[in-house]
Amino acid sequence: MNSIISLASVLILTILILYLSYIFTKSLGKGIGLKRGGTHMQMLDRLPLGQDKAVAIVQLGSHYYLIGIAASQITLLAEIPEEEIDLEGYESSPLSGAEGYLDFKKLLKKYSDRHKKDE
């Protein structure tokens, strides 16, 4: 009888710990990624290229930059003139995903072609 009470209390305690950890991680996850930009800086779009590698368009004040992101460094690839950025899609939802993908792809191709010509 004593062992049944002990087993039931351990089972209840385990379920309680699992439930509380679930609630905690769920509330912690909501806080991550809510604010994608700071007061003066915002990531407009990001294209993953592989594990720990990506290219992104970052707005810093009134300037726009194409940056390369790797596991150990961040590299400035180009400064993008404001007139080449289509802000209509970015203002409503930063990091919008598929809607801005084609424009980002064209912009990346343009700057990669320009970089090849410089070499």
Side-chain angles (χ1 to χ4, degrees):
M1 179 71 165
N2 209 9
S3 63
I4 294 175
I5 294 174
S6 170
L7 181 64
S9 64
V10 168
L11 184 62
I12 290 172
L13 187 61
T14 304
I15 291 172
L16 180 65
I17 289 172
L18 288 174
Y19 178 73
L20 290 176
S21 63
Y22 169 75
I23 296 296
F24 177 73
T25 55
K26 190 174 179 182
S27 66
L28 184 66
K30 285 182 182 177
I32 296 173
L34 285 181
K35 189 171 184 182
R36 296 194 188 270
T39 307
H40 303 286
M41 191 169 28
Q42 183 177 12
M43 184 179 294
L44 297 179
D45 207 351
R46 184 175 188 274
L47 177 66
L49 299 176
Q51 186 175 358
D52 299 331
K53 294 179 181 94
V55 247
I57 298 175
V58 176
Q59 177 185 8
L60 180 62
S62 62
H63 300 281
Y64 298 88
Y65 300 99
L66 181 66
I67 60 171
I69 304 167
S72 61
Q73 69 183 32
I74 297 175
T75 306
L76 176 63
L77 301 175
E79 183 170 354
I80 304 170
E82 186 172 356
E83 50 274 356
E84 292 187 21
I85 301 289
D86 177 25
L87 292 176
E88 290 178 17
Y90 297 121
E91 289 175 356
S92 60
S93 60
L95 295 172
S96 59
E99 302 88 37
Y101 177 74
L102 293 175
D103 293 332
F104 184 78
K105 190 174 178 180
K106 288 178 189 174
L107 191 61
L108 179 62
K109 182 169 177 22
K110 177 181 177 180
Y111 278 96
S112 63
D113 290 345
R114 185 183 294 177
H115 181 65
K116 289 177 186 175
K117 290 177 186 175
D118 291 342
E119 291 179 350

Tab-separated table of all heavy atoms in Angstrom, residues 30-93:
chain	number	residue	atom	x	y	z
A	30	LYS	N	7.515	32.442	-27.177
A	30	LYS	CA	6.733	33.577	-27.677
A	30	LYS	C	7.554	34.863	-27.659
A	30	LYS	O	7.375	35.712	-28.510
A	30	LYS	CB	5.474	33.767	-26.834
A	30	LYS	CG	4.405	32.753	-27.109
A	30	LYS	CD	3.173	33.024	-26.283
A	30	LYS	CE	2.109	31.979	-26.507
A	30	LYS	NZ	0.941	32.200	-25.664
A	31	GLY	N	8.441	35.002	-26.707
A	31	GLY	CA	9.250	36.203	-26.605
A	31	GLY	C	10.361	36.267	-27.631
A	31	GLY	O	10.832	37.336	-27.984
A	32	ILE	N	10.762	35.122	-28.160
A	32	ILE	CA	11.840	35.085	-29.138
A	32	ILE	C	11.283	35.455	-30.496
A	32	ILE	O	10.310	34.897	-30.956
A	32	ILE	CB	12.488	33.681	-29.195
A	32	ILE	CG1	13.146	33.371	-27.867
A	32	ILE	CG2	13.496	33.589	-30.327
A	32	ILE	CD1	13.678	31.953	-27.758
A	33	GLY	N	11.924	36.405	-31.151
A	33	GLY	CA	11.540	36.749	-32.502
A	33	GLY	C	10.409	37.750	-32.621
A	33	GLY	O	10.018	38.071	-33.730
A	34	LEU	N	9.876	38.250	-31.516
A	34	LEU	CA	8.817	39.246	-31.629
A	34	LEU	C	9.348	40.549	-32.197
A	34	LEU	O	8.735	41.163	-33.041
A	34	LEU	CB	8.175	39.502	-30.258
A	34	LEU	CG	7.239	38.417	-29.754
A	34	LEU	CD1	6.671	38.835	-28.397
A	34	LEU	CD2	6.112	38.155	-30.719
A	35	LYS	N	10.504	40.947	-31.729
A	35	LYS	CA	11.090	42.191	-32.202
A	35	LYS	C	12.293	41.852	-33.056
A	35	LYS	O	13.335	41.488	-32.559
A	35	LYS	CB	11.487	43.072	-31.019
A	35	LYS	CG	11.892	44.447	-31.442
A	35	LYS	CD	12.066	45.358	-30.272
A	35	LYS	CE	12.385	46.747	-30.761
A	35	LYS	NZ	12.598	47.652	-29.670
A	36	ARG	N	12.128	41.964	-34.369
A	36	ARG	CA	13.190	41.598	-35.290
A	36	ARG	C	14.094	42.780	-35.609
A	36	ARG	O	15.113	42.612	-36.243
A	36	ARG	CB	12.608	41.044	-36.575
A	36	ARG	CG	11.851	39.771	-36.362
A	36	ARG	CD	11.590	39.102	-37.677
A	36	ARG	NE	10.706	37.978	-37.535
A	36	ARG	CZ	11.097	36.750	-37.296
A	36	ARG	NH1	12.347	36.488	-37.143
A	36	ARG	NH2	10.224	35.779	-37.202
A	37	GLY	N	13.715	43.951	-35.231
A	37	GLY	CA	14.516	45.124	-35.533
A	37	GLY	C	14.653	45.993	-34.307
A	37	GLY	O	13.828	45.959	-33.410
A	38	GLY	N	15.709	46.751	-34.296
A	38	GLY	CA	15.929	47.674	-33.196
A	38	GLY	C	15.302	49.018	-33.520
A	38	GLY	O	14.489	49.155	-34.436
A	39	THR	N	15.710	50.029	-32.807
A	39	THR	CA	15.194	51.371	-33.027
A	39	THR	C	15.672	51.937	-34.358
A	39	THR	O	14.920	52.561	-35.083
A	39	THR	CB	15.645	52.297	-31.889
A	39	THR	OG1	15.277	51.690	-30.654
A	39	THR	CG2	14.997	53.652	-32.003
A	40	HIS	N	16.943	51.676	-34.701
A	40	HIS	CA	17.528	52.257	-35.909
A	40	HIS	C	17.930	51.208	-36.938
A	40	HIS	O	18.443	51.548	-37.988
A	40	HIS	CB	18.770	53.065	-35.543
A	40	HIS	CG	18.478	54.142	-34.549
A	40	HIS	ND1	17.815	55.298	-34.881
A	40	HIS	CD2	18.731	54.230	-33.222
A	40	HIS	CE1	17.693	56.045	-33.800
A	40	HIS	NE2	18.225	55.420	-32.786
A	41	MET	N	17.698	49.940	-36.643
A	41	MET	CA	18.168	48.884	-37.525
A	41	MET	C	17.086	47.819	-37.662
A	41	MET	O	16.412	47.480	-36.706
A	41	MET	CB	19.436	48.265	-36.919
A	41	MET	CG	20.165	47.354	-37.821
A	41	MET	SD	21.807	46.868	-37.240
A	41	MET	CE	21.718	46.939	-35.488
A	42	GLN	N	16.954	47.278	-38.900
A	42	GLN	CA	15.939	46.264	-39.137
A	42	GLN	C	16.410	45.333	-40.253
A	42	GLN	O	16.971	45.789	-41.251
A	42	GLN	CB	14.636	46.937	-39.554
A	42	GLN	CG	13.499	45.973	-39.756
A	42	GLN	CD	12.205	46.697	-40.089
A	42	GLN	OE1	12.201	47.880	-40.380
A	42	GLN	NE2	11.113	45.988	-40.068
A	43	MET	N	16.182	44.027	-40.077
A	43	MET	CA	16.479	43.068	-41.130
A	43	MET	C	15.236	42.959	-42.007
A	43	MET	O	14.177	42.541	-41.557
A	43	MET	CB	16.844	41.701	-40.548
A	43	MET	CG	17.255	40.714	-41.615
A	43	MET	SD	17.716	39.093	-40.993
A	43	MET	CE	19.180	39.462	-40.088
A	44	LEU	N	15.358	43.362	-43.277
A	44	LEU	CA	14.211	43.368	-44.176
A	44	LEU	C	13.937	41.999	-44.780
A	44	LEU	O	12.790	41.602	-44.940
A	44	LEU	CB	14.423	44.381	-45.299
A	44	LEU	CG	14.539	45.830	-44.874
A	44	LEU	CD1	14.770	46.714	-46.080
A	44	LEU	CD2	13.303	46.263	-44.113
A	45	ASP	N	14.999	41.290	-45.144
A	45	ASP	CA	14.813	39.984	-45.760
A	45	ASP	C	16.053	39.141	-45.518
A	45	ASP	O	17.144	39.670	-45.325
A	45	ASP	CB	14.568	40.134	-47.264
A	45	ASP	CG	13.746	38.999	-47.839
A	45	ASP	OD1	13.498	38.011	-47.116
A	45	ASP	OD2	13.338	39.105	-49.002
A	46	ARG	N	15.863	37.818	-45.533
A	46	ARG	CA	16.963	36.892	-45.274
A	46	ARG	C	16.753	35.666	-46.141
A	46	ARG	O	15.643	35.155	-46.245
A	46	ARG	CB	16.947	36.497	-43.801
A	46	ARG	CG	18.072	35.619	-43.376
A	46	ARG	CD	17.996	35.410	-41.852
A	46	ARG	NE	19.147	34.727	-41.375
A	46	ARG	CZ	19.302	33.414	-41.348
A	46	ARG	NH1	18.342	32.638	-41.791
A	46	ARG	NH2	20.410	32.871	-40.896
A	47	LEU	N	17.845	35.211	-46.778
A	47	LEU	CA	17.776	34.023	-47.632
A	47	LEU	C	18.813	33.018	-47.139
A	47	LEU	O	20.007	33.255	-47.255
A	47	LEU	CB	18.059	34.395	-49.088
A	47	LEU	CG	18.095	33.255	-50.094
A	47	LEU	CD1	16.708	32.624	-50.224
A	47	LEU	CD2	18.571	33.751	-51.439
A	48	PRO	N	18.376	31.893	-46.553
A	48	PRO	CA	19.325	30.871	-46.107
A	48	PRO	C	19.997	30.220	-47.313
A	48	PRO	O	19.351	29.913	-48.308
A	48	PRO	CB	18.465	29.856	-45.363
A	48	PRO	CG	17.122	30.460	-45.221
A	48	PRO	CD	17.005	31.553	-46.217
A	49	LEU	N	21.313	30.023	-47.216
A	49	LEU	CA	22.065	29.395	-48.298
A	49	LEU	C	22.551	28.006	-47.938
A	49	LEU	O	23.004	27.263	-48.787
A	49	LEU	CB	23.272	30.267	-48.670
A	49	LEU	CG	22.938	31.669	-49.161
A	49	LEU	CD1	24.206	32.457	-49.389
A	49	LEU	CD2	22.105	31.609	-50.416
A	50	GLY	N	22.501	27.679	-46.687
A	50	GLY	CA	22.962	26.385	-46.206
A	50	GLY	C	22.991	26.427	-44.694
A	50	GLY	O	22.517	27.381	-44.075
A	51	GLN	N	23.578	25.401	-44.115
A	51	GLN	CA	23.661	25.374	-42.656
A	51	GLN	C	24.587	26.486	-42.185
A	51	GLN	O	25.726	26.590	-42.615
A	51	GLN	CB	24.179	24.022	-42.189
A	51	GLN	CG	24.164	23.882	-40.696
A	51	GLN	CD	24.564	22.473	-40.265
A	51	GLN	OE1	24.805	21.611	-41.095
A	51	GLN	NE2	24.634	22.265	-38.977
A	52	ASP	N	24.097	27.358	-41.327
A	52	ASP	CA	24.845	28.475	-40.745
A	52	ASP	C	25.314	29.498	-41.777
A	52	ASP	O	26.273	30.214	-41.543
A	52	ASP	CB	26.048	27.976	-39.943
A	52	ASP	CG	25.650	27.094	-38.789
A	52	ASP	OD1	24.536	27.288	-38.262
A	52	ASP	OD2	26.424	26.201	-38.415
A	53	LYS	N	24.653	29.586	-42.934
A	53	LYS	CA	25.024	30.570	-43.958
A	53	LYS	C	23.759	31.199	-44.514
A	53	LYS	O	22.774	30.515	-44.759
A	53	LYS	CB	25.808	29.903	-45.090
A	53	LYS	CG	27.157	29.380	-44.670
A	53	LYS	CD	27.866	28.724	-45.827
A	53	LYS	CE	29.202	28.193	-45.384
A	53	LYS	NZ	29.170	26.808	-44.990
A	54	ALA	N	23.813	32.519	-44.731
A	54	ALA	CA	22.670	33.230	-45.275
A	54	ALA	C	23.120	34.574	-45.835
A	54	ALA	O	24.228	35.039	-45.548
A	54	ALA	CB	21.610	33.459	-44.196
A	55	VAL	N	22.266	35.162	-46.652
A	55	VAL	CA	22.444	36.542	-47.097
A	55	VAL	C	21.226	37.303	-46.628
A	55	VAL	O	20.134	36.739	-46.536
A	55	VAL	CB	22.574	36.682	-48.626
A	55	VAL	CG1	23.912	37.127	-49.058
A	55	VAL	CG2	22.139	35.486	-49.360
A	56	ALA	N	21.417	38.585	-46.324
A	56	ALA	CA	20.313	39.368	-45.786
A	56	ALA	C	20.397	40.807	-46.260
A	56	ALA	O	21.487	41.306	-46.585
A	56	ALA	CB	20.341	39.325	-44.259
A	57	ILE	N	19.247	41.457	-46.290
A	57	ILE	CA	19.175	42.899	-46.542
A	57	ILE	C	18.847	43.549	-45.213
A	57	ILE	O	17.860	43.211	-44.563
A	57	ILE	CB	18.089	43.235	-47.583
A	57	ILE	CG1	18.412	42.582	-48.919
A	57	ILE	CG2	17.972	44.751	-47.738
A	57	ILE	CD1	17.329	42.774	-49.971
A	58	VAL	N	19.704	44.484	-44.819
A	58	VAL	CA	19.556	45.156	-43.532
A	58	VAL	C	19.388	46.648	-43.773
A	58	VAL	O	20.100	47.239	-44.585
A	58	VAL	CB	20.798	44.903	-42.640
A	58	VAL	CG1	20.697	45.665	-41.338
A	58	VAL	CG2	20.964	43.424	-42.382
A	59	GLN	N	18.429	47.245	-43.074
A	59	GLN	CA	18.228	48.687	-43.138
A	59	GLN	C	18.834	49.294	-41.881
A	59	GLN	O	18.507	48.903	-40.765
A	59	GLN	CB	16.749	49.022	-43.213
A	59	GLN	CG	16.482	50.513	-43.218
A	59	GLN	CD	14.995	50.831	-43.171
A	59	GLN	OE1	14.163	49.953	-42.998
A	59	GLN	NE2	14.669	52.099	-43.326
A	60	LEU	N	19.714	50.256	-42.077
A	60	LEU	CA	20.327	50.976	-40.970
A	60	LEU	C	20.066	52.450	-41.213
A	60	LEU	O	20.710	53.072	-42.056
A	60	LEU	CB	21.827	50.683	-40.899
A	60	LEU	CG	22.609	51.353	-39.795
A	60	LEU	CD1	22.096	50.904	-38.432
A	60	LEU	CD2	24.077	51.025	-39.915
A	61	GLY	N	19.072	52.996	-40.525
A	61	GLY	CA	18.657	54.369	-40.784
A	61	GLY	C	18.051	54.456	-42.175
A	61	GLY	O	17.100	53.772	-42.501
A	62	SER	N	18.653	55.281	-43.031
A	62	SER	CA	18.164	55.410	-44.402
A	62	SER	C	19.047	54.665	-45.393
A	62	SER	O	18.907	54.812	-46.597
A	62	SER	CB	18.089	56.886	-44.783
A	62	SER	OG	19.381	57.453	-44.721
A	63	HIS	N	19.982	53.849	-44.897
A	63	HIS	CA	20.891	53.086	-45.752
A	63	HIS	C	20.494	51.616	-45.755
A	63	HIS	O	19.998	51.089	-44.763
A	63	HIS	CB	22.336	53.225	-45.265
A	63	HIS	CG	22.825	54.633	-45.264
A	63	HIS	ND1	23.239	55.273	-46.408
A	63	HIS	CD2	22.958	55.527	-44.263
A	63	HIS	CE1	23.612	56.500	-46.115
A	63	HIS	NE2	23.442	56.691	-44.805
A	64	TYR	N	20.757	50.942	-46.876
A	64	TYR	CA	20.433	49.535	-47.027
A	64	TYR	C	21.705	48.777	-47.398
A	64	TYR	O	22.478	49.235	-48.240
A	64	TYR	CB	19.373	49.337	-48.118
A	64	TYR	CG	18.086	50.035	-47.781
A	64	TYR	CD1	17.863	51.359	-48.143
A	64	TYR	CD2	17.097	49.378	-47.065
A	64	TYR	CE1	16.683	52.006	-47.813
A	64	TYR	CE2	15.912	50.019	-46.733
A	64	TYR	CZ	15.717	51.322	-47.116
A	64	TYR	OH	14.554	51.959	-46.781
A	65	TYR	N	21.896	47.619	-46.775
A	65	TYR	CA	23.106	46.839	-46.990
A	65	TYR	C	22.757	45.387	-47.282
A	65	TYR	O	21.842	44.826	-46.686
A	65	TYR	CB	24.006	46.893	-45.748
A	65	TYR	CG	24.440	48.288	-45.390
A	65	TYR	CD1	23.790	48.996	-44.392
A	65	TYR	CD2	25.482	48.903	-46.058
A	65	TYR	CE1	24.175	50.286	-44.063
A	65	TYR	CE2	25.874	50.192	-45.746
A	65	TYR	CZ	25.218	50.884	-44.750
A	65	TYR	OH	25.594	52.149	-44.436
A	66	LEU	N	23.516	44.786	-48.181
A	66	LEU	CA	23.445	43.355	-48.447
A	66	LEU	C	24.600	42.735	-47.671
A	66	LEU	O	25.760	43.108	-47.891
A	66	LEU	CB	23.577	43.074	-49.947
A	66	LEU	CG	23.506	41.621	-50.371
A	66	LEU	CD1	22.114	41.048	-50.097
A	66	LEU	CD2	23.834	41.480	-51.853
A	67	ILE	N	24.283	41.845	-46.738
A	67	ILE	CA	25.329	41.245	-45.909
A	67	ILE	C	25.314	39.728	-46.060
A	67	ILE	O	24.284	39.131	-46.317
A	67	ILE	CB	25.185	41.633	-44.419
A	67	ILE	CG1	23.839	41.169	-43.866
A	67	ILE	CG2	25.383	43.120	-44.211
A	67	ILE	CD1	23.711	41.319	-42.366
A	68	GLY	N	26.494	39.138	-45.891
A	68	GLY	CA	26.629	37.694	-45.865
A	68	GLY	C	26.818	37.259	-44.425
A	68	GLY	O	27.595	37.863	-43.680
A	69	ILE	N	26.113	36.237	-44.017
A	69	ILE	CA	26.155	35.777	-42.631
A	69	ILE	C	26.663	34.341	-42.626
A	69	ILE	O	26.120	33.477	-43.308
A	69	ILE	CB	24.758	35.836	-41.983
A	69	ILE	CG1	24.192	37.251	-42.073
A	69	ILE	CG2	24.816	35.347	-40.546
A	69	ILE	CD1	22.717	37.347	-41.743
A	70	ALA	N	27.720	34.093	-41.874
A	70	ALA	CA	28.259	32.744	-41.688
A	70	ALA	C	28.349	32.480	-40.192
A	70	ALA	O	28.100	33.370	-39.373
A	70	ALA	CB	29.625	32.617	-42.344
A	71	ALA	N	28.729	31.277	-39.829
A	71	ALA	CA	28.783	30.909	-38.418
A	71	ALA	C	29.790	31.762	-37.650
A	71	ALA	O	29.557	32.119	-36.500
A	71	ALA	CB	29.132	29.432	-38.276
A	72	SER	N	30.888	32.125	-38.294
A	72	SER	CA	31.942	32.827	-37.560
A	72	SER	C	32.112	34.284	-37.957
A	72	SER	O	32.920	34.984	-37.363
A	72	SER	CB	33.274	32.094	-37.754
A	72	SER	OG	33.602	32.085	-39.133
A	73	GLN	N	31.384	34.769	-38.967
A	73	GLN	CA	31.559	36.158	-39.361
A	73	GLN	C	30.362	36.691	-40.129
A	73	GLN	O	29.546	35.934	-40.634
A	73	GLN	CB	32.811	36.319	-40.217
A	73	GLN	CG	32.709	35.677	-41.591
A	73	GLN	CD	34.002	35.815	-42.374
A	73	GLN	OE1	35.068	35.830	-41.794
A	73	GLN	NE2	33.898	35.910	-43.677
A	74	ILE	N	30.310	38.022	-40.225
A	74	ILE	CA	29.317	38.718	-41.032
A	74	ILE	C	30.093	39.628	-41.968
A	74	ILE	O	30.984	40.357	-41.542
A	74	ILE	CB	28.360	39.547	-40.146
A	74	ILE	CG1	27.582	38.609	-39.239
A	74	ILE	CG2	27.430	40.379	-41.009
A	74	ILE	CD1	26.700	39.313	-38.240
A	75	THR	N	29.772	39.563	-43.274
A	75	THR	CA	30.526	40.312	-44.268
A	75	THR	C	29.602	41.262	-45.008
A	75	THR	O	28.499	40.881	-45.417
A	75	THR	CB	31.147	39.331	-45.295
A	75	THR	OG1	31.902	38.350	-44.591
A	75	THR	CG2	32.049	40.058	-46.267
A	76	LEU	N	30.045	42.502	-45.188
A	76	LEU	CA	29.303	43.474	-45.982
A	76	LEU	C	29.555	43.174	-47.448
A	76	LEU	O	30.691	43.239	-47.917
A	76	LEU	CB	29.744	44.899	-45.644
A	76	LEU	CG	29.122	46.015	-46.468
A	76	LEU	CD1	27.615	46.064	-46.237
A	76	LEU	CD2	29.757	47.343	-46.119
A	77	LEU	N	28.512	42.822	-48.181
A	77	LEU	CA	28.658	42.480	-49.594
A	77	LEU	C	28.467	43.699	-50.488
A	77	LEU	O	29.178	43.874	-51.469
A	77	LEU	CB	27.664	41.387	-49.982
A	77	LEU	CG	27.787	40.069	-49.208
A	77	LEU	CD1	26.675	39.116	-49.592
A	77	LEU	CD2	29.145	39.440	-49.434
A	78	ALA	N	27.480	44.539	-50.157
A	78	ALA	CA	27.228	45.719	-50.978
A	78	ALA	C	26.322	46.682	-50.228
A	78	ALA	O	25.562	46.283	-49.354
A	78	ALA	CB	26.567	45.326	-52.295
A	79	GLU	N	26.424	47.958	-50.588
A	79	GLU	CA	25.446	48.938	-50.133
A	79	GLU	C	24.441	49.091	-51.264
A	79	GLU	O	24.820	49.226	-52.427
A	79	GLU	CB	26.096	50.285	-49.818
A	79	GLU	CG	25.098	51.276	-49.284
A	79	GLU	CD	25.741	52.547	-48.739
A	79	GLU	OE1	26.968	52.622	-48.666
A	79	GLU	OE2	24.962	53.448	-48.395
A	80	ILE	N	23.176	49.039	-50.934
A	80	ILE	CA	22.121	49.061	-51.944
A	80	ILE	C	21.473	50.441	-51.934
A	80	ILE	O	21.017	50.902	-50.883
A	80	ILE	CB	21.059	47.981	-51.652
A	80	ILE	CG1	21.720	46.607	-51.552
A	80	ILE	CG2	19.980	47.991	-52.713
A	80	ILE	CD1	20.802	45.534	-51.029
A	81	PRO	N	21.407	51.098	-53.098
A	81	PRO	CA	20.716	52.395	-53.155
A	81	PRO	C	19.239	52.234	-52.806
A	81	PRO	O	18.617	51.220	-53.126
A	81	PRO	CB	20.878	52.822	-54.615
A	81	PRO	CG	22.018	52.022	-55.138
A	81	PRO	CD	22.018	50.745	-54.368
A	82	GLU	N	18.684	53.243	-52.166
A	82	GLU	CA	17.306	53.181	-51.686
A	82	GLU	C	16.302	52.972	-52.820
A	82	GLU	O	15.311	52.277	-52.653
A	82	GLU	CB	16.964	54.460	-50.922
A	82	GLU	CG	15.613	54.420	-50.259
A	82	GLU	CD	15.368	55.614	-49.354
A	82	GLU	OE1	16.267	56.444	-49.186
A	82	GLU	OE2	14.244	55.690	-48.832
A	83	GLU	N	16.595	53.514	-53.994
A	83	GLU	CA	15.636	53.381	-55.096
A	83	GLU	C	15.565	51.952	-55.648
A	83	GLU	O	14.620	51.601	-56.344
A	83	GLU	CB	15.927	54.376	-56.226
A	83	GLU	CG	17.336	54.422	-56.730
A	83	GLU	CD	18.265	55.345	-55.931
A	83	GLU	OE1	17.826	56.044	-55.008
A	83	GLU	OE2	19.452	55.323	-56.237
A	84	GLU	N	16.511	51.092	-55.315
A	84	GLU	CA	16.478	49.697	-55.769
A	84	GLU	C	15.733	48.782	-54.798
A	84	GLU	O	15.517	47.616	-55.093
A	84	GLU	CB	17.897	49.171	-55.969
A	84	GLU	CG	18.602	49.820	-57.126
A	84	GLU	CD	19.933	49.187	-57.421
A	84	GLU	OE1	20.156	48.026	-57.028
A	84	GLU	OE2	20.767	49.856	-58.049
A	85	ILE	N	15.338	49.299	-53.657
A	85	ILE	CA	14.611	48.516	-52.666
A	85	ILE	C	13.122	48.769	-52.833
A	85	ILE	O	12.674	49.911	-52.819
A	85	ILE	CB	15.040	48.897	-51.225
A	85	ILE	CG1	16.521	48.680	-51.022
A	85	ILE	CG2	14.232	48.147	-50.193
A	85	ILE	CD1	16.934	47.236	-50.968
A	86	ASP	N	12.345	47.700	-52.985
A	86	ASP	CA	10.892	47.805	-53.051
A	86	ASP	C	10.366	47.694	-51.623
A	86	ASP	O	10.268	46.605	-51.074
A	86	ASP	CB	10.315	46.693	-53.931
A	86	ASP	CG	8.804	46.709	-53.978
A	86	ASP	OD1	8.215	47.787	-53.757
A	86	ASP	OD2	8.224	45.649	-54.233
A	87	LEU	N	10.056	48.819	-51.013
A	87	LEU	CA	9.673	48.833	-49.604
A	87	LEU	C	8.221	48.448	-49.357
A	87	LEU	O	7.845	48.208	-48.224
A	87	LEU	CB	9.941	50.213	-48.997
A	87	LEU	CG	11.412	50.576	-48.875
A	87	LEU	CD1	11.542	51.995	-48.346
A	87	LEU	CD2	12.130	49.613	-47.962
A	88	GLU	N	7.397	48.378	-50.373
A	88	GLU	CA	5.977	48.076	-50.159
A	88	GLU	C	5.777	46.738	-49.474
A	88	GLU	O	4.998	46.606	-48.562
A	88	GLU	CB	5.231	48.098	-51.493
A	88	GLU	CG	5.097	49.482	-52.070
A	88	GLU	CD	4.392	49.461	-53.411
A	88	GLU	OE1	3.737	48.456	-53.734
A	88	GLU	OE2	4.500	50.459	-54.133
A	89	GLY	N	6.483	45.701	-49.897
A	89	GLY	CA	6.325	44.381	-49.300
A	89	GLY	C	6.960	44.276	-47.931
A	89	GLY	O	6.527	43.502	-47.090
A	90	TYR	N	8.007	45.062	-47.680
A	90	TYR	CA	8.731	44.947	-46.422
A	90	TYR	C	8.065	45.703	-45.284
A	90	TYR	O	8.157	45.305	-44.149
A	90	TYR	CB	10.159	45.465	-46.587
A	90	TYR	CG	10.956	44.667	-47.569
A	90	TYR	CD1	11.510	45.264	-48.686
A	90	TYR	CD2	11.162	43.306	-47.394
A	90	TYR	CE1	12.243	44.531	-49.588
A	90	TYR	CE2	11.882	42.565	-48.298
A	90	TYR	CZ	12.435	43.185	-49.391
A	90	TYR	OH	13.147	42.462	-50.284
A	91	GLU	N	7.393	46.804	-45.587
A	91	GLU	CA	6.813	47.605	-44.514
A	91	GLU	C	5.720	46.856	-43.769
A	91	GLU	O	5.606	46.943	-42.567
A	91	GLU	CB	6.242	48.914	-45.083
A	91	GLU	CG	7.326	49.874	-45.517
A	91	GLU	CD	6.753	51.103	-46.189
A	91	GLU	OE1	5.526	51.168	-46.383
A	91	GLU	OE2	7.534	52.003	-46.520
A	92	SER	N	4.924	46.086	-44.491
A	92	SER	CA	3.813	45.396	-43.840
A	92	SER	C	4.290	44.222	-43.010
A	92	SER	O	3.782	43.977	-41.933
A	92	SER	CB	2.800	44.931	-44.876
A	92	SER	OG	3.419	44.036	-45.780
A	93	SER	N	5.269	43.474	-43.500
A	93	SER	CA	5.735	42.308	-42.750
A	93	SER	C	7.208	42.051	-43.015
A	93	SER	O	7.556	41.493	-44.047
A	93	SER	CB	4.919	41.074	-43.130
A	93	SER	OG	5.049	40.804	-44.495
